[in-house]
Amino acid sequence: MYSRTYYPTVVLSDIHLGSPHAKTEEVTAFLKSVNCDKLILNGDIIDGWHLKKSGLHRWKAKHTEFFKVIMKMMENFGTEVIYVRGNHDDFLDALAPLNFYNVKIVKDCIYESKGKRYYITHGDIFDTVTTQMKWLAMLGDTGYSFLLWVNKVYNAYRMKQGKPYYSLSQKIKHKVKSAVSYVSDFEKELVNLAKSKKCNGVICGHIHHPENCYYDGIHYLNSGDWVETLSALTEDENGNWEVKYFDRADYRVTAFQEELAVIDKLITIAS
């Protein structure tokens, strides 16, 4: 069983459901551990690019389970869901804006809380590669997928040696000067946009780099991703924001304990 922690608002982005690199079980476990009034899915939740390239057979039961958990949150807690389209789920452009039941599908929006205004966008609007040169973005996506595959093999080797998880792919990205420069420019551009919209802050995703900081008095928040960092944004009842990281070790222990509980229940029934 999961003990749920209450947050007025939770933000997730860049889950990339349908991609082999998506940490679907982990993000689903995270959702089962929280209760929130508002769940903001800030883009690239479904990886439409990968599904289009590899086929719908890549969509598994675990991906459907993720949405079933969200529907349960809506049913049991009255959670409002805001789905902001990203570049990998740009198929939603044909639907946005759309309101039905307790779900909104939008391209961007303004979120107001505790007297503050936050501009919410996935963030790809400032990525000229994804907006104007999609073929080049897809080529880059292939390279990134290869880097993640190398990371997976590397960590399988580390686990056999009893060593903890280490993101080789993130380390490489942080060493590449052009990538570091891109992140800095990305953050500055979004902060300037928030200013132009007379907002106190901006909430985004896209670059898989979680952050909670201030630029020129503007609150910059990035929810990270569920491919490498396994992070989310949470807002408490006083309007304070925090980047929450999912603990892989805790998840493995919890999953093992749940398997034992199921076995014990089966033994009890059998006896």
Side-chain angles (χ1 to χ4, degrees), residues 200-255:
N200 305 97
V202 60
I203 300 173
C204 61
H206 187 52
I207 58 174
H208 296 202
H209 185 74
E211 191 60 87
N212 178 7
C213 62
Y214 284 85
Y215 290 100
D216 296 328
I218 299 296
H219 197 181
Y220 173 85
L221 292 160
N222 192 306
S223 48
D225 68 282
W226 288 84
V227 174
E228 297 180 88
T229 59
L230 279 60
S231 58
L233 289 171
T234 59
E235 182 191 31
D236 68 19
E237 294 178 84
N238 296 316
N240 300 311
W241 288 92
E242 184 178 354
V243 176
K244 291 284 186 181
Y245 293 92
F246 185 83
D247 194 315
R248 289 176 171 89
D250 284 350
Y251 170 69
R252 285 195 289 269
V253 170
T254 301

Side-chain angles (χ1 to χ4, degrees), residues 30-99:
F30 172 78
L31 278 181
K32 288 180 178 179
S33 72
V34 300
N35 164 20
C36 59
D37 299 325
K38 196 181 299 289
L39 175 64
I40 300 172
L41 303 174
N42 199 4
D44 287 2
I45 305 304
I46 299 172
D47 197 324
W49 290 10
H50 188 83
L51 289 171
K52 183 178 180 180
K53 180 172 59 178
S54 303
L56 291 177
H57 67 278
R58 290 287 186 180
W59 189 265
K60 307 295 183 182
K62 62 183 179 181
H63 302 136
T64 303
E65 176 65 18
F66 169 79
F67 287 104
K68 284 183 177 179
V69 170
I70 292 177
M71 287 189 285
K72 279 291 184 183
M73 293 173 70
M74 294 169 63
E75 178 183 347
N76 296 333
F77 309 118
T79 301
E80 178 188 2
V81 177
I82 300 176
Y83 194 139
V84 182
R85 55 74 74 198
N87 51 303
H88 281 258
D89 43 20
D90 55 5
F91 56 86
L92 293 173
D93 279 342
L95 297 175
L98 177 67
N99 295 343

